[in-house]
Amino acid sequence: QVQLVESGGGSVQPGGSLRLSCDRSGGLLYYYSVAWFRQVPGKEREGVSYIRATGDVTDYADSVKGRFAISRDDAGDAVFLQMNNLKPEDTAIYYCAARPGYRSGASFDETLYDAWGQGLQVTVSS
């Protein structure tokens, strides 16, 4: 069973940066495609960014293109989401999710993901 652990959330002023990390407890994420989702209370969860297991394909929500960057380390231990020029509307709980690399489909189709992290808070406020 894949268990995911997110870290790196917190509070930042508008225009600031944060780097989120998604690690697999007790194993590697090397063979998994990973996505970041976020949710604001009272709203549906939305896809933010995606990276294929091979690392050669990424995808972003329009609202974060040019500001967020997803990557994975060469050892396959973790996936990162670098968030720059943060805006108040980026405030949400962020979740990472993983699915087997062989499983194709839309980047942000939640039904394709088997494992989810516990979520962490990102707050952008002055």
Side-chain angles (χ1 to χ4, degrees):
Q1 185 176 0
V2 178
Q3 293 184 315
L4 304 177
V5 179
E6 303 110 330
S7 60
S11 297
V12 65
Q13 292 187 339
S17 298
L18 285 173
R19 189 190 194 212
L20 306 184
S21 295
C22 177
D23 297 85
R24 179 185 173 186
S25 177
L28 301 177
L29 284 173
Y30 191 80
Y31 296 108
Y32 292 85
S33 299
V34 175
W36 287 94
F37 293 82
R38 67 186 181 187
Q39 187 170 26
V40 175
K43 294 188 177 181
E44 290 189 357
R45 188 159 53 191
E46 63 172 352
V48 175
S49 187
Y50 162 89
I51 187 165
R52 187 177 289 179
T54 51
D56 59 340
V57 175
T58 59
D59 196 7
Y60 297 92
D62 288 343
S63 58
V64 306
K65 283 181 181 177
R67 301 188 298 121
F68 289 14
I70 192 169
S71 62
R72 53 196 318 151
D73 70 343
D74 292 338
D77 294 337
V79 170
F80 308 103
L81 184 66
Q82 178 67 43
M83 306 188 296
N84 299 323
N85 190 22
L86 283 160
K87 303 176 180 181
E89 51 264 42
D90 294 318
T91 296
I93 298 174
Y94 283 71
Y95 301 88
C96 70
R99 73 195 204 197
Y102 61 79
R103 187 175 297 165
S104 60
S107 302
F108 303 129
D109 181 349
E110 295 186 21
T111 65
L112 298 176
Y113 291 87
D114 299 322
W116 292 81
Q118 78 283 0
L120 49 75
Q121 180 69 45
V122 170
T123 301
V124 185
S125 174
S126 56

